[in-house]
Amino acid sequence: VDDPLLTVRGRVTPRVPPRRVILDAAGQLSPGARLLREGEGQVYVVTTPSSPRSWRAEIESRGAGVLEVAADTEGRVSLPDGLRRLREVGIRSVLCEGGGRLTSALMGIGLLDRLYVIMVPRLLGDEGVPGFPGAATLEPGAWRLVEEPRRMGKDVWMVLEPERS
């Protein structure tokens, strides 16, 4: 929706530009998306058999790699299969800049090693969107602080890791 670039910006200059990955089960990424036209680093789109072949061909013609994986029970990209396919193309570490649903799904199947949370001091009320919908794994005791929370302007930065038993 926000047409991200998924690039490194600011004072950090990586040795190798990160590869950018989009999860798109149904083939909804626009072939005109900015990340297909701008920025450094290979783009991969992980999709399922339900995405149209014509869409895949168009995405590939823009220089992106298309990786097909199984769908989960809700028709989304199977995260374990998607991560396995990314490993096959040489991606060993993933920084997920996804929304709450993706983060919750990764938490729910135990695929997060570290969680960076930036909390904004804003109360949303009953109509607010939950940060981690359905994430029972955020229950007290499931995650531990790795470092003391710190302020970033008005926001609060926290780094958590799962408690492993």
Side-chain angles (χ1 to χ4, degrees), residues 21-27 45-51 67-83 85-86 102 105-106 109:
V21 178
I22 299 288
L23 304 181
D24 186 351
V45 179
V46 182
T47 191
T48 67
S50 67
S51 65
L67 307 174
E68 181 181 310
V69 301
D72 67 11
T73 57
E74 296 179 33
R76 298 179 300 213
V77 167
S78 164
L79 295 175
D81 286 352
L83 290 171
R85 288 288 284 135
L86 290 171
L102 177 57
L106 289 166
I109 56 178

Side-chain angles (χ1 to χ4, degrees), residues 8-19:
V8 176
R9 293 179 293 281
R11 297 182 303 217
V12 177
T13 304
R15 284 182 296 111
V16 177
R19 289 171 279 182

